[in-house]
Amino acid sequence: MLDIIYWPVSAILWFWHKAFGFVFGADSGLAWSLAIVFLVFTLRLVLYKPFVKQVRTTKQMQELQPQIKELQKKYKNDRETMAREMQKLQKEHGFNPLMGCLPVLVQVPVFLGLFHVLRSFNRTGSGFGQLDMSAYDNAHTANYIFSAADVQSFLSARIFGAPIAAFITAPQSEMEAFADWGGTPTRLTIALVAIPLMVIAGLATHFNARASVQRQTPEAAANPQAAIMNKLSLWVFPLGVMVGGPFLMIGILIYWVANNIWTYGQQHLVFGRMDKEAEEKKAKKLELRAQNAPKPGAKPVDVRKKQDAPAEDTQSTNGTAASNGTAKQTAKQGGGKRRPGGQQRPGNRGRANQKRKR
């Protein structure tokens, strides 16, 4: 059912094993370990852009927290309207909640695929999902893209004496699968390799979570759901690696350590770039404010007066023109002369006097 995942995962692992096996030898534990590490790097490189989008989405979500709280408070009794307004707010800001989960959702099937492929190198167990093969049949049966020779190479590979496919709590019957390919390992030998990997994986998980939590705003950290997730990522998940480590193959623990190392470096790179972008935006705002500010010693110019001045000039000009027109009209009607007191003489006064004289 999940062959669509198992075959690509085994193909990538096969490619890197051939590459490192050419340098260190096909049966080398280092070659197989590096193949697992670079399987992780290949996947995370493909998911780099979605990871950046995830970080930006998380930051945007934190910035929208005040508005989201207002909507929740405003429509606390109307969930339908609140959901509609939330979608509207997300659409206005180009916010997509699914982008925050995409990298994690993609890594889960790859983790399960790698777990299945590595466990299928030793199919002698009789538990759930096992085939209960004999040691001979297991060593001479292909494993997805890996040939029978590749299976025997994997069974022969050792890291400080411990097989990559072994785990601390493995039944003794599964241990016998390695007998003809480097000898049966002891639990102590497996534990000496697995326990340090468990500790490193748990610490790496904790510090990666701490780096993410420290970048949260106080408003986002105060959110009850965010507070629960922070506690889970800081303490429960790392503790889960420590508790579940004895049941995980050494190859899976290598995968976990490599994945956390990549996450730590990627977070440092992406967060540093985002901080640089924020500083550049802040510098541009300050530069624009400095350009618009008046020079030292110069009198500030009120822009509103400049805008009102043409209207006032037009009104005064119109008023002058109107008064001039009135004066001309009065002069035409007769008169226009004024007495010393400023009063205007009647226009027909001279004509009346001339008639009397006659």
Side-chain angles (χ1 to χ4, degrees):
M1 183 175 65
L2 296 178
D3 286 350
I4 192 174
I5 298 173
Y6 300 150
W7 281 96
V9 168
S10 63
I12 297 172
L13 186 64
W14 177 88
F15 171 80
W16 286 116
H17 171 253
K18 293 299 179 184
F20 290 109
F22 179 78
V23 178
F24 301 105
D27 298 342
S28 170
L30 181 60
W32 281 103
S33 300
L34 289 175
I36 296 172
V37 170
F38 276 79
L39 168 68
V40 176
F41 291 171
T42 302
L43 169 68
R44 297 304 299 273
L45 189 62
V46 172
L47 294 176
Y48 176 76
K49 287 187 177 180
F51 175 82
V52 175
K53 186 67 176 177
Q54 175 194 10
V55 174
R56 294 187 183 278
T57 299
T58 304
K59 183 179 179 182
Q60 194 176 22
M61 183 68 178
Q62 294 174 2
E63 293 173 352
L64 293 177
Q65 279 298 318
Q67 300 180 46
I68 292 174
K69 286 184 177 180
E70 290 180 3
L71 291 176
Q72 292 174 344
K73 184 178 180 180
K74 184 176 180 181
Y75 302 105
K76 61 181 179 180
N77 297 325
D78 190 353
R79 293 186 176 275
E80 184 178 352
T81 304
M82 183 175 66
R84 187 167 57 252
E85 292 296 326
M86 290 278 286
Q87 292 178 357
K88 183 179 178 181
L89 178 66
Q90 294 172 0
K91 187 176 180 181
E92 288 176 354
H93 292 81
F95 175 74
N96 187 1
L98 293 177
M99 291 305 299
C101 306
L102 181 61
V104 177
L105 293 177
V106 174
Q107 289 183 61
V108 170
V110 174
F111 175 82
L112 295 176
L114 179 63
F115 180 84
H116 178 76
V117 170
L118 292 182
R119 191 176 67 165
S120 296
F121 281 106
N122 186 0
R123 293 151 287 190
T124 58
S126 59
F128 177 77
Q130 290 285 17
L131 299 178
D132 197 15
M133 288 184 175
S134 65
Y136 179 86
D137 291 339
N138 176 70
H140 292 83
T141 303
N143 178 24
Y144 293 99
I145 200 171
F146 293 98
S147 64
D150 294 329
V151 173
Q152 297 168 16
S153 173
F154 188 86
L155 294 173
S156 302
R158 297 288 191 275
I159 300 178
F160 301 107
I164 297 177
F167 54 99
I168 297 175
T169 58
Q172 188 61 34
S173 59
E174 292 188 30
M175 296 286 197
E176 298 299 329
F178 305 100
D180 296 334
W181 314 101
T184 304
T186 63
R187 295 190 189 279
L188 178 60
T189 304
I190 299 172
L192 290 176
V193 177
I195 291 176
L197 290 174
M198 290 160 48
V199 174
I200 295 172
L203 290 175
T205 303
H206 172 78
F207 284 111
N208 282 334
R210 176 177 288 186
S212 298
V213 171
Q214 287 176 348
R215 295 188 62 85
Q216 292 180 355
T217 60
E219 294 81 5
N223 189 335
Q225 296 179 352
I228 294 174
M229 287 303 300
N230 290 341
K231 290 181 180 179
L232 289 175
S233 59
L234 282 171
W235 306 109
V236 178
F237 294 161
L239 184 62
V241 178
M242 299 291 295
V243 173
F247 302 92
L248 298 176
M249 291 175 287
I250 291 177
I252 294 297
L253 294 175
I254 293 173
Y255 170 91
W256 201 286
V257 171
N259 190 53
N260 279 279
I261 291 174
W262 179 279
T263 300
Y264 184 82
Q266 189 170 253
Q267 281 185 344
H268 181 75
L269 176 65
V270 174
F271 289 159
R273 184 174 297 177
M274 291 178 64
D275 291 340
K276 187 177 180 181
E277 291 176 358
E279 291 177 0
E280 289 177 354
K281 288 182 180 179
K282 186 176 180 181
K284 286 182 180 180
K285 287 182 180 179
L286 294 175
E287 183 180 355
L288 184 61
R289 186 181 300 176
Q291 290 177 356
N292 295 332
K295 296 181 179 180
K299 185 178 179 180
V301 179
D302 194 347
V303 182
R304 291 175 297 180
K305 289 185 177 180
K306 282 189 174 183
Q307 293 176 352
D308 296 341
E312 293 176 358
D313 294 343
T314 305
Q315 291 176 0
S316 61
T317 304
N318 294 337
T320 305
S323 60
N324 290 339
T326 304
K328 288 180 181 179
Q329 186 175 2
T330 305
K332 286 181 180 180
Q333 292 176 354
K337 296 181 181 180
R338 295 182 180 273
R339 295 178 181 178
Q343 298 178 355
Q344 187 176 2
R345 295 179 181 180
N348 59 352
R349 183 176 179 181
R351 296 178 184 177
N353 292 338
Q354 289 177 1
K355 289 180 179 179
R356 290 175 184 177
K357 288 179 182 181
R358 290 176 183 174

